Amino acid sequence: MAENDVASQYDTYSDYLDSFIASDDLFYLEDQEVARRLVELGIRTNGDILTAEEFEQRRKVAEVSRLQGMTKTKVTLASAGKDLSDFPLLYALAQREELVRSGKLAVIIFIRDKNHAGQEISGYVDFGHRLRLNQQECEAFFLRTKKLLPRSSDLSFYNWETQYVSSMASANFEVIADHEEGFLFKCKRDRKVINVNPRVNPGDKTRRHVIETDEYIQVVLYDHILRRKV
């Protein structure tokens, strides 16, 4: 184990010294401070013991490394810094992005609209899957240089003109098709089933939100809570 890791295991130098003290030592010495002093002097141990100054220095180095690691792994939100107040779907997704990235929420987006060829299409999109799949593409959605539309690699896709239909599991959901209720989606995290039939309850821990927008023919969000306090 690295020396800095050793220092970071303990809150104080006294805790570090106590880790070398056996119960027999306290029984015979009857004074914990004396036992700590003997450890510090190397009398009761076989290895090298850090001084108080060395311990504090290594704790500082370990803390700096920990904070640097957190900074490196922090992902910038694709929606960060963008004014989306006039775009209901993008605004709603921006409000959910951090919760989705942190694993507190899973979101299924139902979109019905026309593709670039003017054909009416519809489908269910796993928002979290899209976020992880391509950060640059998601930023393009929030910049409005590219429109968010369902495609054949999403949870489900249907082209109303060509009658082409497809479905595919995502990182977060399994697809249950050919069911009397229609499409169902099972969350891989908690095994809960999301029912997207608008005539029934969407399921445990799931909320259905209709998004009123002029940019799409129809949009519905299904928020599935993975952790409480969302």
Side-chain angles (χ1 to χ4, degrees), residues 117-196:
Q119 301 168 329
E120 188 168 318
I121 59 174
S122 62
Y124 292 90
V125 178
D126 177 353
F127 182 41
H129 185 76
R130 283 286 192 100
L131 285 173
R132 287 191 292 272
L133 199 63
N134 193 325
Q135 172 79 3
Q136 289 184 333
E137 182 183 56
C138 290
E139 289 180 358
F141 294 148
F142 288 112
L143 286 169
R144 300 182 67 247
T145 58
K146 186 173 184 178
K147 193 171 187 178
L148 174 58
L149 290 172
R151 53 198 183 201
S152 58
S153 57
D154 284 314
L155 291 172
S156 79
F157 174 84
Y158 181 61
N159 186 309
W160 291 75
E161 183 173 317
T162 65
Q163 304 291 296
Y164 175 79
V165 61
S166 67
S167 63
M168 186 176 295
S170 70
N172 300 302
F173 296 100
E174 297 174 8
V175 182
I176 305 174
D178 299 323
H179 189 277
E180 61 182 9
E181 292 288 347
F183 269 118
L184 300 175
F185 302 103
K186 181 184 285 188
C187 179
K188 293 180 178 179
R189 285 271 300 277
D190 60 11
R191 314 307 295 171
K192 300 288 185 180
V193 173
I194 292 86
N195 191 329
V196 294

Side-chain angles (χ1 to χ4, degrees), residues 46-100:
N46 295 323
D48 294 331
I49 299 298
L50 299 177
T51 65
E53 292 76 13
E54 289 172 335
F55 177 83
E56 289 304 322
Q57 181 61 34
R58 287 174 183 172
R59 267 184 56 81
K60 290 177 182 178
V61 171
E63 180 65 12
V64 169
S65 297
R66 185 184 71 82
L67 293 174
Q68 287 177 340
M70 290 175 62
T71 301
K72 289 178 181 178
T73 57
K74 186 175 181 180
V75 178
T76 301
L77 299 181
S79 59
K82 300 170 181 66
D83 182 6
L84 304 167
S85 54
D86 293 331
F87 311 103
L89 173 59
L90 296 178
Y91 180 81
L93 294 179
Q95 298 301 303
R96 292 160 169 77
E97 184 182 358
E98 186 172 7
L99 293 172
V100 171

